[in-house]
Amino acid sequence: MPAQLKIRLSDSEEKELLELTQNPKTPKRTLKRVEVLRLNNQGWSVKEIASWINWSENTVRKTIKRWIFQGKSGLVDRPRSGRKKRWTEADIEYLKECCDREQRTYNSKQLSTLLRIERQVNLSPERIRKIFKKKSVNGNE
């Protein structure tokens, strides 16, 4: 049987974690990790927390250990593998400015061509549509 993991949060740490839970931009996975820490601080066992959150006991233990060894930085996700973006926010802003500045309407194929010619960035028309759609859904338009 593994040793019982128990943390004691200081008042400042408890306040910091509470602020994270109240921030609407905090990712859901980070919120779950904060919940694990706060429950453990209240005396819940790893087994109880795992059952409550519907995680494995091993994941709960890893979360607590990440807090012990890394502190607040252990709460956020590590970078994922995969190819980096080929475009920057400045490229998308450039396309938006072109659309706003000119009195014509562009379709996604024309925007793709414009981006390739003006900024040497290759994005497919479909990818441009997805980026614009995602930005308009998130209210960043």
Side-chain angles (χ1 to χ4, degrees):
M1 182 178 210
Q4 183 178 1
L5 281 174
K6 184 74 177 139
I7 59 170
R8 294 275 179 230
L9 297 174
S10 67
D11 290 339
S12 63
E13 290 172 331
E14 181 71 35
K15 183 179 178 187
E16 201 172 355
L17 292 178
L18 183 63
E19 288 173 359
L20 270 176
T21 62
Q22 294 171 344
N23 184 348
K25 293 187 177 186
T26 303
K28 290 180 183 178
R29 293 166 58 105
T30 301
L31 290 174
K32 285 282 196 184
R33 292 182 186 118
V34 169
E35 186 177 6
V36 165
L37 298 175
R38 294 184 74 209
L39 290 173
N40 186 264
N41 184 54
Q42 293 172 11
W44 288 43
S45 70
V46 169
K47 188 174 185 174
E48 292 170 328
I49 295 170
S51 176
W52 176 259
I53 294 191
N54 198 23
W55 278 2
S56 72
E57 291 181 32
N58 192 37
T59 303
V60 173
R61 284 190 204 318
K62 283 182 182 179
T63 300
I64 294 170
K65 286 180 182 178
R66 281 175 65 179
W67 172 260
I68 292 170
F69 294 113
Q70 298 175 17
K72 189 176 176 183
S73 64
L75 294 175
V76 295
D77 284 334
R78 294 186 199 123
R80 303 273 182 181
S81 62
R83 189 181 74 192
K84 303 293 181 210
K85 293 192 291 187
R86 292 183 176 185
W87 52 274
T88 64
E89 291 297 323
D91 295 324
I92 303 306
E93 287 302 317
Y94 172 77
L95 291 178
K96 287 182 181 179
E97 289 172 13
C98 287
C99 291
D100 291 342
R101 181 179 59 231
E102 298 187 24
Q103 295 182 359
R104 60 168 285 186
T105 304
Y106 287 99
N107 62 33
S108 57
K109 187 174 182 180
Q110 292 166 333
L111 289 174
S112 175
T113 303
L114 183 66
L115 197 57
R116 185 173 48 256
I117 292 170
E118 297 292 325
R119 300 189 58 108
Q120 291 73 46
V121 175
N122 289 320
L123 281 179
S124 70
E126 183 167 329
R127 186 70 188 133
I128 289 175
R129 282 194 302 273
K130 285 181 181 179
I131 293 168
F132 273 103
K133 184 175 182 178
K134 184 176 181 182
K135 291 202 171 290
S136 67
V137 167
N138 291 337
N140 295 337
E141 190 172 26

